[in-house]
Amino acid sequence: AQSVTQPDIHITVSEGASLELRCNYSYGATPYLFWYVQSPGQGLQLLLKYFSGDTLVQGIKGFEAEFKRSQSSFNLRKPSVHWSDAAEYFCAVVAGGFKTIFGAGTRLFVKA
Amino acid sequence: DAGVTQSPTHLIKTRGQHVTLRCSPISGHKSVSWYQQVLGQGPQFIFQYYEKEERGRGNFPDRFSARQFPNYSSELNVNALLLGDSALYLCASSLAGTEIQPQHFGDGTRLSIL
């Protein structure tokens, strides 16, 4: 069965420090992978997506993610975190053409 | 352009009642998906509709139903509400509902069951 695992429930980083959020997926076919961000009381905003090709994808707000098939991972990174990045981050995989499966999310806290 | 709009934003119901949630997709988008997000968890897929036809259904009981109208707006109906139905219900629209089409989410309807 398809699944997405985000091992870290929450992460705290200092403003200006680098960030890496982990995501592992389980899916037999070619995965279509996404990272979304959700601020409190709001819906989800797409940060970036991977369909094929270059395994390092760039997204909005300075985020990037690297697809590693051998590790079934799609980790999200940012070189320098801003206080406004504090939010919940969700990794997702599309299964069967229409069903998006989300991980449980990682809440990011940013300290001054 | 307006994004995905959902109404109402908040709703309080009691057990056993039914509820109807509404969603208007981005103009030009023909696919609408519904998700349930329980506090502290990721969204769970409920339904996807494309061109007024149900394309997929998640692991939810028959108390949950939905439909899509000719203008591509959608309603999610939940009957015989249970305490466990308390959640944020998210609607997302996309152009064609395929995996390569990113979904655009509304801000959700917060449903509380007393």
Side-chain angles (χ1 to χ4, degrees), chain A residues 1-87:
Chain A
Q2 304 93 352
S3 66
V4 176
T5 302
Q6 295 181 246
D8 304 304
I9 297 173
H10 56 80
I11 283 182
T12 301
V13 299
S14 298
E15 191 169 17
S18 63
L19 170 70
E20 182 169 26
L21 301 182
R22 296 183 291 165
C23 171
N24 293 97
Y25 67 91
S26 172
Y27 186 56
T30 301
Y32 296 95
L33 297 161
F34 301 82
W35 274 99
Y36 288 88
V37 61
Q38 186 178 35
S39 297
Q42 296 186 10
L44 282 73
Q45 181 184 23
L46 179 66
L47 287 176
L48 47 79
K49 58 186 183 291
Y50 171 79
F51 296 147
S52 64
D54 193 348
T55 57
L56 184 64
V57 293
Q58 303 296 321
I60 63 171
K61 304 184 180 185
F63 286 93
E64 66 179 27
E66 186 172 12
F67 171 62
K68 293 184 177 180
R69 185 184 296 275
S70 61
Q71 299 177 18
S72 297
S73 69
F74 188 56
N75 293 348
L76 182 71
R77 301 195 293 248
K78 187 170 185 178
S80 177
V81 169
H82 188 263
W83 65 266
S84 60
D85 294 324

Side-chain angles (χ1 to χ4, degrees), chain A residues 9 27 30 32 34 36 38 41-46 49 51 88 90 94-105, chain B residues 33 35 37 40-45 48 55-59 88 90 97-108:
Chain A
I9 297 173
Y27 186 56
T30 301
Y32 296 95
F34 301 82
Y36 288 88
Q38 186 178 35
Q42 296 186 10
L44 282 73
Q45 181 184 23
L46 179 66
K49 58 186 183 291
F51 296 147
E88 184 127 29
F90 293 96
V94 175
F98 56 85
K99 180 179 179 180
T100 301
I101 298 171
F102 287 87
Chain B
S33 297
Y35 295 85
Q37 186 178 19
Q41 297 181 20
Q44 299 291 316
F45 173 78
Q48 189 194 59
R55 292 190 65 203
R57 182 188 183 109
N59 189 25
L88 179 68
L90 294 165
T98 64
E99 57 265 278
I100 64 172
Q101 298 284 347
Q103 296 181 84
H104 301 262
F105 284 81
D107 287 341

Side-chain angles (χ1 to χ4, degrees), chain B residues 10-24:
Chain B
H10 295 85
L11 201 53
I12 298 175
K13 292 286 188 179
T14 57
R15 283 177 294 176
Q17 288 187 311
H18 71 273
V19 68
T20 298
L21 310 181
R22 295 177 176 83
C23 172
S24 293

Side-chain angles (χ1 to χ4, degrees), chain B residues 7-74:
Chain B
S7 63
T9 54
H10 295 85
L11 201 53
I12 298 175
K13 292 286 188 179
T14 57
R15 283 177 294 176
Q17 288 187 311
H18 71 273
V19 68
T20 298
L21 310 181
R22 295 177 176 83
C23 172
S24 293
I26 291 173
S27 178
H29 285 194
K30 299 182 178 181
S31 177
V32 168
S33 297
W34 287 95
Y35 295 85
Q36 180 196 64
Q37 186 178 19
V38 173
L39 195 62
Q41 297 181 20
Q44 299 291 316
F45 173 78
I46 308 175
F47 288 108
Q48 189 194 59
Y49 276 77
Y50 175 65
E51 288 283 12
K52 302 176 286 295
E53 297 291 327
E54 180 184 306
R55 292 190 65 203
R57 182 188 183 109
N59 189 25
F60 280 81
D62 292 342
R63 299 185 295 109
F64 289 77
S65 63
R67 55 180 175 168
Q68 187 177 33
F69 298 99
N71 66 354
Y72 303 108
S73 67
S74 178

